[in-house]
């Protein structure tokens, strides 16, 4: 019979090294400077609290993270930058693209930026397992939304490309809140205008290939990669498509993928080869001869049971943990030049679960950029060309 008392008193006993124990240790190395500054600013601008409030870090008017249900909607309650000429003063810029005129079935993604910003107020800037506190380690701003033109894809695309080019060239890391997936073309076009002769790989999480030239006679959300990979900086051999499959993959798009030799993994491919092997597949192809990688994360790559609020839900997708694991590994190992999260449609959402998933994708990306040393940026990335150049392709007409 084991003597429990003697076992508990064994001075040689060492607790197992778990992720949780490592997380507890990491937290001790994080500063509190950002939090202290936020409290001081809140007390200055928001006035000291009523005398009955014992916690004197609380202000009369909410001016920071707390309480989570209060305040003005920006992403993670980041400062709103009204003068977008100052965006280069920040490490990361959040920008909304409220555009759903490229949707072919369930509209509503024009409300995606609002939905993501609103539920992001639920989050703190600290992640336990990763040992990252975004408030302490990077500067983040929200520049608001791009002025899109309802019912006019092409004019909206021009606005989007100009806006993204401005943010990208400033040196701030652009994070784009869609919007339907038609914005994938103008966002990539905006980045490419400041790549000079540098090359970009695209890693595309989705259930759909999105490679048709047109759909319903227009450039819709089924078409971004046909046009983006016509740009000289974004060769289709560097387009990696993760999670493709199901009953909503148009054969016209499949034909284009075959002709242009894009790189596709289905969900079954990913689960059978393993997540790490899938990550290596993506990195090898996206980084082959390129200088940076753009990540386009369509929320419908996740199984429809987890993300009901989207334009084209498709059962059989990736599990949230699978997608987040691959995303984190990719971000840590690739020079990432931008992220977009698209196809969040709040009118179809349930309990904000789709918007919450999008928020997690964005926060995890920022955390892995910190862990990999890509943020905060000490200087502009070498692949950013100072002058805008028109993309070298024959324009679609």
């Amino acid at each position: 019979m084991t003597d429990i008392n003697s076992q508990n008193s064994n001075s040689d006993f060492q607790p197992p090294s778990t992720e949780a124990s490592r997380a507890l240790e990491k937290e001790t190395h994080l500063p509190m400077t950002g939090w202290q500054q936020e409290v001081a600013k809140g007390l200055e601008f928001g006035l000291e609290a009523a005398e009955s409030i014992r916690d004197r870090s609380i202000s009369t008017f909410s001016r920071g993270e707390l309480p989570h249900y209060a305040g003005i909607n920006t992403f993670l309650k980041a400062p709103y930058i009204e003068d977008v000429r100052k965006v280069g003063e920040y490490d990361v810029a959040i920008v909304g693209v409220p555009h759903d005129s490229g949707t072919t079935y369930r509209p509503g993604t024009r409300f995606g930026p609002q939905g993501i910003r609103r539920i992001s107020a639920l989050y703190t800037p600290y992640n336990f397992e990763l040992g990252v506190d975004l408030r302490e380690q990077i500067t983040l701003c929200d520049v608001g939304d791009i002025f899109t033109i309802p019912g006019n894809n092409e004019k909206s695309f021009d606005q989007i490309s100009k806006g993204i080019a401005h943010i990208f060239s400033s040196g701030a890391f652009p994070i784009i809140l869609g919007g339907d997936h038609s914005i994938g073309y103008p966002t990539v076009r905006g980045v490419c205008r400041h790549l000079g002769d540098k090359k970009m790989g695209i890693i595309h999480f989705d259930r759909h290939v999105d490679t048709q030239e047109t759909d319903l006679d227009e450039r819709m959300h089924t078409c971004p990669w046909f046009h983006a990979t016509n740009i000289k900086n974004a060769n289709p051999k560097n387009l990696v498509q993760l999670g493709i499959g199901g009953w909503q993959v148009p054969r016209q798009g499949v034909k284009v993928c075959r002709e242009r030799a894009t790189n596709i993994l289905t969900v079954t491919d990913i689960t059978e080869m393993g997540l790490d092997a899938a990550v290596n597949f993506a990195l090898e192809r996206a980084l082959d001869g390129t200088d940076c990688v753009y990540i386009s994360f369509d929320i419908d790559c996740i199984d429809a049971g987890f993300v009901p609020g989207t334009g084209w839900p498709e059962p059989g997708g990736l599990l949230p943990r699978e997608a987040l694991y691959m995303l984190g590994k990719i971000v840590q190992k690739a020079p990432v030049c931008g992220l977009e999260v698209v196809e969040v449609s709040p009118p179809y959402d349930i309990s904000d679960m789709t918007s919450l998933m999008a928020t997690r994708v964005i926060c995890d990306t920022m955390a892995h950029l910190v862990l990999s040393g890509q943020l905060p940026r000490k200087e502009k990335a070498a692949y950013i060309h100072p002058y805008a150049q028109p993309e070298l392709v024959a324009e679609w007409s």
Side-chain angles (χ1 to χ4, degrees), residues 19 23 29 39 66 70-71 75 112 133 140 144 157 164 202 243 296 333 386:
E19 182 181 50
H29 300 288
V39 170
L66 300 175
F75 188 83
D133 190 331
L140 172 69
F157 289 174
I164 300 305
I202 300 171
S296 179
K333 296 178 180 178

Side-chain angles (χ1 to χ4, degrees), residues 179-322:
D180 68 47
H181 218 157
S182 68
I183 72 169
Y185 165 57
T187 54
V188 166
R189 184 172 65 174
V191 171
C192 287
R193 285 178 179 171
H194 282 278
L195 285 183
D197 60 358
K198 303 297 185 184
K199 305 296 183 186
M200 168 204 289
I202 300 171
I203 296 182
H204 166 220
F205 289 80
D206 207 327
R207 291 290 281 149
H208 317 104
V209 289
D210 293 351
T211 48
Q212 292 173 239
E213 182 174 7
T214 61
D215 192 356
L216 304 176
D217 206 37
E218 296 287 343
R219 296 200 282 193
M220 306 297 274
H221 67 160
T222 44
C223 308
W225 310 128
F226 180 93
H227 303 283
T229 57
N230 279 339
I231 301 173
K232 71 179 181 76
N233 309 90
N235 194 308
K237 78 169 188 176
N238 301 119
L239 172 61
V240 180
Q241 302 179 277
L242 302 175
I244 308 298
W247 294 89
Q248 302 166 0
V249 183
R251 292 183 61 185
Q252 302 96 309
V254 174
K255 180 173 181 288
V256 172
C257 291
R258 187 167 55 245
E259 291 173 346
R260 297 192 177 189
T262 68
N263 308 282
I264 298 176
L265 290 181
T266 67
V267 173
T268 301
D269 287 331
I270 292 168
T271 55
E272 289 188 350
M273 71 195 316
L275 299 179
D276 288 314
V279 167
N280 291 336
F281 174 96
L283 291 171
E284 287 173 4
R285 287 154 180 81
L287 291 171
D288 183 16
T290 64
D291 301 280
C292 58
V293 168
Y294 184 80
I295 297 176
S296 179
F297 195 100
D298 189 323
I299 205 72
D300 71 28
C301 75
I302 307 289
D303 187 90
F306 297 95
V307 288
T310 187
W312 278 93
E314 171 64 50
L318 294 165
L319 299 177
R321 288 186 59 168
E322 294 171 339

